[in-house]
Amino acid sequence: MSSRHSGVQKEVFALYRRALRMTNTKPPLARPKFRLFVQYTFRTNATNITPRDVSTIEHLLRKGRRQLEMYEDPSVKDCWVSQDMKTWADSSPITRRSSSPS
């Protein structure tokens, strides 16, 4: 039996996919920073917000879409990555797996 996702879940997945695609349009040296920014933001929000808090999720979706539109602009070439994000990346098996050479 396949699991079904709610409309809000599908919107979150679509925004995440769109954000990851955006990272591929950036200069090669900046891509890891954009990818870390996207992964950290989604993962920390996912762990800090309950799935039943639909109004907060919808607010973050709107905020995320606006922010992504800004980052999708071709004139944006780099992004800032905090020390918290770097520490999270060093301890997260998700980022180690995606950044390891194949």
Side-chain angles (χ1 to χ4, degrees), residues 1-100:
M1 181 174 179
S2 66
S3 71
R4 301 213 175 186
H5 299 289
S6 72
V8 174
Q9 286 174 317
K10 289 177 183 178
E11 288 181 52
V12 171
F13 295 147
L15 183 63
Y16 186 67
R17 281 191 309 271
R18 182 177 157 196
L20 290 177
R21 283 190 209 109
M22 175 273 303
T23 64
N24 293 329
T25 66
K26 300 303 173 186
L29 292 175
R31 287 179 192 166
K33 287 175 27 178
F34 277 101
R35 180 174 280 283
L36 174 58
F37 177 79
V38 169
Q39 289 176 332
Y40 176 83
T41 303
F42 274 84
R43 185 61 60 171
T44 55
N45 282 333
T47 57
N48 293 332
I49 300 166
T50 65
R52 298 192 189 282
D53 193 356
V54 176
S55 62
T56 300
I57 295 168
E58 288 174 342
H59 166 73
L60 289 171
L61 278 168
R62 288 189 301 273
K63 180 181 171 187
R65 284 187 198 107
R66 286 192 306 270
Q67 191 172 28
L68 184 55
E69 286 172 7
M70 180 185 67
Y71 283 125
E72 285 175 332
D73 187 329
S75 66
V76 176
K77 303 285 186 205
D78 206 353
C79 72
W80 180 77
V81 175
S82 71
Q83 188 59 44
D84 285 345
M85 291 180 192
K86 292 175 187 175
T87 303
W88 176 83
D90 292 340
S91 65
S92 173
I94 294 165
T95 56
R96 276 189 260 130
R97 182 177 60 229
S98 66
S99 64
S100 64

